[in-house]
Amino acid sequence: MVTTALYWYRQDLRLADLPAMRAAIDNGLKLIPCYVFDDAAAGQWSPGGASRWWLHHSLAALDTELAKRGSPLVVRRGETARVLADLAAQTGAEAVYCSEAIDPWARELQSQVADALWETGVQLEARPSALLFHPGTVCTQAGDPYRVFTPFWRACLQQPSPAEPLSAASGKHFVEHDLDSLPHDDWQLLPRNPDWAAGWDELWSPGATGARRALQHFLDNALDSYAEGRDFPAARSTSRLSPHLHFGEISPRQVWHAVQALPEGQDKPAAKFLAEVGWREFCHQLLYFNPEIPEKPFKADFGEMPWLADQTHLQAWQRGRTGYPIVDAGMRELWQTGFMHNRVRMIVASFLTKHLLLPWQWGEQWFWDTLVDADLANNSCGWQWVAGCGADAAPYFRIFNPILQGRKFDPDGEYVRQWVPEIASLPDKYLHAPWEAPAKILAEAGVELGETYPEPLVDHKEARETALQAYGVISG
Ligand SMILES: Cc1cc2nc3c(=O)[nH]c(=O)nc-3n(C[C@H](O)[C@H](O)[C@H](O)COP(=O)(O)OP(=O)(O)OC[C@H]3O[C@@H](n4cnc5c(N)ncnc54)[C@H](O)[C@@H]3O)c2cc1C
């Protein structure tokens, strides 16, 4: 007799390369796919606004794929353990299968769910699926987790190649059903009044099909120039796979093997690209072994840093009104698209933590709410790296000069002109430092500093000195 299991979808919103799903099938079980909205379980790290927009569309895409297999996604709201136990009782499911969690709150939830289901005689079976190398499989010779990226990734590359991705489950692996499920309109994930995500449908394609297309488009069109182009925000040379990877619409093994299958001759950009995927691995293993890093500095002495608390400066940064064009361009790109280029993320994060001396956690929180790829591991590591308090972080005294960064990585101003149109008519020479332009040139470009575009919020040199003094407080 064929028996039934639930497949509990989490951050693995796809059909292919799901080891837990394959394990259930190999055990002769037929699956009912489900998803539970349980914001309370994630607490402070429940998805932010932009992530909720993505989640809505990703779940809808998954639901469509599953419905084609006769087994639409059963979406319910409530305390996860109770919802799963009720659904198991309703359907006679003998087990629940899921992907292994990495985020601390999700691991805690997984263990609570396992205990609660056990009480009802239902087993929870979890298998890793989010990473190439599950945390703990790649360690130093002393058996500790790595704290420095380069030796970590070198050690990863010496491991046996990650296994080939598993094929997608088909209709025969699912139970045909018409179980109650929250209709899409009741998911409460999309913004209303105002709909700040209007137009995002044209920018993004959430879901596994969109993920595969984004990867293919990148490999066909941008990989060749990735190594040189990835630092130039106007170049569109990066993959934009981050939200797809975050929501598990594509697995890192699928990415890895698609790159391995490329014809010879692309080794250098391919290695560079996989090393960035390696940073994702590194951040996730750091979070796994240091669950406090979303809130606390990895380097404990940074707890004494004399951060400021200027809300006006925070708001100017959030709104892209700091008077530093490359910073403002990044913050506006983020607000308008849910994304920001990696180089610009580093520049705006450095500006917040060093020029404005505001706590990195404030920036992390804003990114959490506004990025479509907001990811607990990558976001907290990214912020700690820039602030100087993370594992393998940039030294604190490395303070990005936003003028030189703009001139170097946006030399003809294409990026700034796109996102800060009110200064678009300035000549290249002054575009990244409008306050240096003579009055005549400002007037010709229609720029009135303090009126049409802000004066710089702080003076670069003074801010740099103040930041170094503040750092002196903790470095002795
Ligand atoms: C302050 C700050 C905050 C960040 N917050 C996030 C976040 O919330 N979510 C997120 O996914 N990334 C974050 N990053 C890392 C990085 O900026 C993005 O992963 C990258 O810009 C995504 O674009 P892409 O997919 O085109 O990258 P590609 O260059 O095409 O890289 C391929 C993949 O590798 C991974 N990756 C690339 N760079 C990094 C990195 N530095 N750290 C970890 N993984 C990386 C991503 O999964 C990415 O999709 C942050 C970086 C900084 C400096």
Side-chain angles (χ1 to χ4, degrees):
M1 190 186 81
V2 174
T3 44
T4 303
L6 303 181
Y7 189 81
W8 172 31
Y9 271 107
R10 312 174 77 190
Q11 260 177 256
D12 54 353
L13 305 180
R14 60 181 184 266
L15 277 157
D17 203 22
L18 289 174
M21 190 174 276
R22 177 54 59 88
I25 293 166
D26 289 348
N27 285 338
L29 297 164
K30 277 192 150 202
L31 295 160
I32 296 174
C34 61
Y35 188 88
V36 185
F37 291 131
D38 181 4
D39 273 352
Q44 157 183 22
W45 300 114
S46 70
S51 297
R52 293 170 80 84
W53 177 88
W54 191 287
L55 179 60
H56 177 100
H57 294 290
S58 191
L59 287 173
L62 180 65
D63 186 28
T64 304
E65 283 308 309
L66 288 162
K68 283 185 202 158
R69 289 158 174 81
S71 194
L73 188 64
V74 179
V75 179
R76 303 245 166 118
R77 190 186 304 281
E79 192 198 335
T80 306
R82 190 182 49 71
V83 171
L84 291 175
D86 288 351
L87 189 56
Q90 185 186 0
T91 57
E94 66 170 38
V96 178
Y97 284 75
C98 70
S99 286
E100 190 92 52
I102 302 289
D103 291 1
W105 69 265
R107 286 168 67 194
E108 173 67 29
L109 174 67
Q110 189 177 313
S111 102
Q112 283 169 9
V113 166
D115 291 348
L117 289 176
W118 181 258
E119 299 283 314
T120 65
V122 174
Q123 184 126 351
L124 181 72
E125 293 277 353
R127 300 281 186 282
S129 81
L131 297 170
L132 295 168
F133 305 97
H134 193 65
T137 48
V138 181
C139 295
T140 64
Q141 286 195 337
D144 298 323
Y146 280 95
R147 293 165 159 228
V148 180
F149 172 73
T150 305
F152 166 77
W153 189 234
R154 202 184 300 126
C156 289
L157 294 177
Q158 282 162 3
Q159 300 290 310
S161 186
E164 289 278 345
L166 301 163
S167 56
S170 65
K172 66 177 189 232
H173 299 125
F174 291 97
V175 176
E176 280 191 32
H177 70 80
D178 57 1
L179 290 158
D180 280 351
S181 177
L182 269 183
H184 295 201
D185 284 349
D186 291 345
W187 288 354
Q188 299 170 12
L189 295 172
L190 295 178
R192 304 196 198 287
N193 301 324
D195 176 9
W196 40 257
W200 283 16
D201 293 343
E202 269 118 70
L203 299 177
W204 299 109
S205 295
T209 306
R212 278 196 304 275
R213 283 197 190 127
L215 174 62
Q216 203 52 52
H217 184 268
F218 169 70
L219 297 178
D220 291 346
N221 300 290
L223 179 69
D224 280 343
S225 59
Y226 182 78
E228 304 77 37
R230 60 180 288 274
D231 269 323
F232 293 83
R236 294 294 296 253
S237 316
T238 68
S239 69
R240 301 205 164 211
L241 276 174
S242 48
H244 298 292
L245 280 164
H246 168 76
F247 285 97
E249 297 165 354
I250 193 164
S251 73
R253 289 203 299 206
Q254 289 174 298
V255 174
W256 172 277
H257 282 282
V259 171
Q260 304 303 328
L262 291 170
E264 281 180 24
Q266 289 177 299
D267 308 5
K268 190 176 160 222
K272 184 71 196 146
F273 174 63
L274 287 180
E276 295 307 317
V277 177
W279 269 100
R280 176 177 180 273
E281 300 280 316
F282 181 62
C283 296
H284 282 74
Q285 66 114 31
L286 276 177
L287 176 65
Y288 191 88
F289 292 113
N290 305 277
E292 69 290 344
I293 58 170
E295 292 96 22
K296 290 196 184 137
F298 188 87
K299 292 183 184 154
D301 50 357
F302 266 76
E304 303 300 314
M305 185 77 175
W307 300 112
L308 303 179
D310 190 325
Q311 293 290 335
T312 320
H313 280 185
L314 176 68
Q315 275 178 15
W317 178 82
Q318 289 171 335
R319 291 175 185 168
R321 298 195 56 79
T322 67
Y324 284 89
I326 191 78
V327 175
D328 293 343
M331 298 308 293
R332 295 183 195 187
E333 179 190 21
L334 173 62
W335 183 249
Q336 289 174 43
T337 69
F339 188 83
M340 192 195 299
H341 186 276
N342 180 59
R343 167 60 48 181
V344 193
R345 290 186 203 203
M346 292 194 283
I347 298 170
V348 304
S350 175
F351 191 84
L352 185 88
T353 52
K354 296 176 183 177
H355 286 75
L356 303 183
L357 257 183
L358 296 177
W360 58 268
Q361 293 95 331
W362 289 15
E364 179 197 31
Q365 197 64 54
W366 182 251
F367 271 27
W368 185 256
D369 199 30
T370 51
L371 278 171
V372 286
D373 66 15
D375 180 276
L376 203 55
N378 292 358
N379 198 32
S380 47
C381 286
W383 276 96
Q384 292 222 29
W385 187 87
V386 177
C389 54
D392 198 13
Y396 182 82
F397 53 78
R398 189 201 287 175
I399 298 179
F400 280 131
N401 177 329
I403 308 151
L404 297 184
Q405 288 283 316
R407 286 180 182 149
K408 184 167 177 191
F409 295 112
D410 187 32
D412 54 10
E414 190 183 338
Y415 180 71
V416 161
R417 287 194 172 90
Q418 179 179 0
W419 298 109
V420 193
E422 66 268 35
I423 57 168
S425 301
L426 281 174
D428 291 356
K429 184 175 174 194
Y430 299 112
L431 191 69
H432 292 289
W435 61 92
E436 288 178 359
K440 181 167 173 288
I441 293 203
L442 285 172
E444 280 168 6
V447 177
E448 198 180 333
L449 288 180
E451 289 296 327
T452 60
Y453 183 67
E455 302 265 14
L457 202 57
V458 288
D459 174 76
H460 167 65
K461 277 195 185 133
E462 283 172 19
R464 186 173 189 283
E465 285 310 311
T466 312
L468 290 176
Q469 277 169 22
Y471 178 61
V473 172
I474 59 166
S475 64

